[in-house]
Amino acid sequence: MSSENADQVKESVKDYYGKTLKTSDDLKTSACKFEGKKMPPAVRSALKLIHEEVSSKFYGCGLVAPESLEGMKILDLGSGSGQDCFVLSKLVGENGHVTGVDMTKEQVDVANKYVEYHAEQFGYSKPNTDFKLGEMERLSDLGIQENSIDIIISNCVVNLTADKAVVLKQAYRVLKDGGEVYFSDVYTDTNLSEEARKDEVLWGKCISGALHWKELIELCKEVGFSGPYLVISRPLDVDPKLRKPLGDAQFVSATYRLFKPPCDKSTDTGSNVSYKGSMVENPEEFKFDVHNTLTKTPKIVSAELATVLRFSRFAKHLDFQPLEPGTTVPTDDVYSNADPFAYCAANNLAKTSGSCCAKPAKQEKTGCGSKPAEEKNGCGSKCC
């Protein structure tokens, strides 16, 4: 896509989320409603404390919240009205911090309006959130320092930028060694046509900007991330009226996690890893990705995964034991492990209509304003 077209799409997205939409009820398409784990109690409790205006102007499909957040410094790319940030600010605690970045002034204004309100709601002596008006491709312009962030999250927003490589490079720059990018987005199984890439309606529905899932792998290699590790995926069904420029392309909504490896990369040859059961919301097991669930029974993991876990915030929740001489160590086939379409097929997952960034037409109002109270979550493993 040319820079001129990219700028045109960006302005269209700003107008849509800043001026066209007044509340989440104005969204015209269906959210990506696919089953995952139920919302953790801590997330559910935090959502009940979010101001109504913040929730009503939240246009995402749910909340992306990874595990073990206490004391973390988090950056939310495409933070909108701030709902995700405020929930996460409760989960990181008063000693943690959450920064939201969004390019839509109207949304950032709403978020800033309620910074003090949520600090009081959570019983904090001072706010632990801040919001910056700007673009995820230009984090350096916003004063976000190199090696300063523990976790970056994003909820179906990376697809709204034409240059994903720049976004990932910026993310890599600001992450600490061992830091994580944990994000949900839409992916396709082919390269979309130029006609589809220029379709503003499909951009607004988070379809035109979808990466071919293999491109994400190549971008991770190019930038230097370990991963991507697939957390969850579900097929998406596109409205037949919008299908023409898409041809036979198929789509999924998927959550991936990427890690910034340490500068002095370990020569780890693999390890026996067991989970201590010390994460409050996950007392029995820790599901790292669709291929690796860690329990109190030791599991042999690959050299790369052992390195990722040792240098991540999860290390304190894990025991690492050396392997016996001659032990066969698994090797990671990143293309096979990260394939969201293969995962969906292997698990017989049915398509759900809509896109990752919209809301169902009429549903019972909950804390996040987008799902029935007891319905299982949508985008990824921690969405509303």
Side-chain angles (χ1 to χ4, degrees):
M1 178 182 289
S2 68
S3 59
E4 181 180 351
N5 286 332
D7 290 341
Q8 184 179 354
V9 167
K10 187 173 292 184
E11 290 305 314
S12 175
V13 170
K14 284 184 183 179
D15 285 343
Y16 182 62
Y17 287 100
K19 297 179 173 63
T20 302
L21 299 178
K22 302 304 180 185
T23 73
S24 53
D25 291 324
D26 294 329
L27 286 161
K28 305 300 182 185
T29 55
S30 297
C32 51
K33 295 165 50 185
F34 58 79
E35 293 186 358
K37 295 178 181 178
K38 287 186 177 180
M39 197 190 310
V43 174
R44 190 180 295 278
S45 296
L47 280 167
K48 292 177 181 178
L49 301 176
I50 303 303
H51 193 279
E52 184 177 354
E53 184 177 3
V54 171
S55 293
S56 72
K57 292 184 180 296
F58 173 72
Y59 306 135
C61 61
L63 175 66
V64 177
E67 309 84 353
S68 190
L69 299 181
E70 183 70 27
M72 293 292 104
K73 189 170 183 179
I74 297 178
L75 174 64
D76 181 359
L77 301 181
S79 53
S81 65
Q83 178 176 277
D84 288 8
C85 290
F86 291 129
V87 171
L88 293 174
S89 75
K90 179 70 164 65
L91 300 182
V92 300
E94 192 166 9
N95 294 325
H97 191 87
V98 183
T99 296
V101 170
D102 201 278
M103 66 179 182
T104 308
K105 183 179 184 302
E106 292 85 350
Q107 290 281 81
V108 174
D109 286 347
V110 172
N112 277 322
K113 182 178 176 182
Y114 294 104
V115 167
E116 294 283 349
Y117 170 87
H118 288 98
E120 293 177 6
Q121 283 287 94
F122 302 153
Y124 295 164
S125 59
K126 61 180 181 180
N128 66 343
T129 55
D130 70 300
F131 296 91
K132 299 178 183 293
L133 177 63
E135 299 175 358
M136 67 182 84
E137 301 96 325
R138 296 179 173 85
L139 297 180
S140 54
D141 293 348
L142 303 178
I144 300 176
Q145 299 300 308
E146 184 176 351
N147 302 319
S148 64
I149 301 294
D150 296 300
I151 305 166
I152 294 175
I153 68 158
S154 185
N155 193 353
C156 209
V157 175
V158 174
N159 68 67
L160 294 177
T161 180
D163 197 336
K164 278 74 170 174
V166 171
V167 173
L168 290 183
K169 287 175 182 177
Q170 284 286 303
Y172 190 92
R173 182 186 69 82
V174 303
L175 274 179
K176 299 176 183 178
D177 286 356
E180 177 182 17
V181 179
Y182 187 97
F183 70 117
S184 293
D185 227 318
V186 175
Y187 297 89
T188 181
D189 64 346
T190 188
N191 294 312
L192 299 181
S193 68
E194 190 65 19
E195 180 185 2
R197 293 295 190 195
K198 293 179 179 179
D199 191 309
E200 290 188 20
V201 174
L202 289 173
W203 268 99
K205 295 179 183 300
C206 306
I207 297 297
S208 285
L211 270 180
H212 188 309
W213 66 273
K214 291 183 178 179
E215 288 184 81
L216 178 62
I217 295 174
E218 296 306 318
L219 286 175
C220 286
K221 291 179 181 178
E222 175 187 334
V223 175
F225 281 110
S226 292
Y229 298 97
L230 178 64
V231 178
I232 195 68
S233 179
R234 269 284 186 176
L236 292 179
D237 197 14
V238 179
D239 187 337
K241 297 176 183 177
L242 305 175
R243 262 271 161 207
K244 186 177 178 182
L246 299 173
D248 295 327
Q250 299 300 309
F251 298 88
V252 295
S253 179
T255 297
Y256 285 103
R257 56 195 342 156
L258 325 175
F259 288 84
K260 181 178 179 178
C263 293
D264 54 340
K265 244 188 167 180
S266 170
T267 55
D268 204 321
T269 56
S271 184
N272 252 322
V273 182
S274 58
Y275 173 52
K276 297 178 181 179
S278 51
M279 298 183 208
V280 175
E281 302 290 354
N282 302 279
E284 301 300 326
E285 64 180 27
F286 166 39
K287 183 178 179 182
F288 177 80
D289 67 2
V290 297
H291 302 288
N292 293 283
T293 297
L294 302 175
T295 67
K296 295 175 183 179
T297 301
K299 175 185 175 71
I300 300 173
V301 302
S302 69
E304 180 172 356
L305 181 54
T307 299
V308 164
L309 293 172
R310 283 184 192 278
F311 285 91
S312 74
R313 69 187 184 281
F314 301 125
K316 64 184 179 182
H317 299 290
L318 305 171
D319 280 321
F320 298 86
Q321 297 296 328
L323 299 176
E324 295 292 333
T327 300
T328 300
V329 180
T331 56
D332 291 324
D333 181 346
V334 67
Y335 285 97
S336 175
N337 291 347
D339 186 345
F341 292 90
Y343 171 80
C344 292
N347 290 276
N348 297 314
L349 301 180
K351 288 183 178 180
T352 182
S353 62
S355 66
C356 188
C357 7
K359 173 191 170 183
K362 278 287 184 180
Q363 298 217 15
E364 179 183 340
K365 187 175 178 67
T366 66
C368 64
S370 62
K371 305 288 281 183
E374 298 303 320
E375 184 176 332
K376 290 186 179 180
N377 61 328
C379 293
S381 63
K382 303 293 181 189
C383 276
C384 300

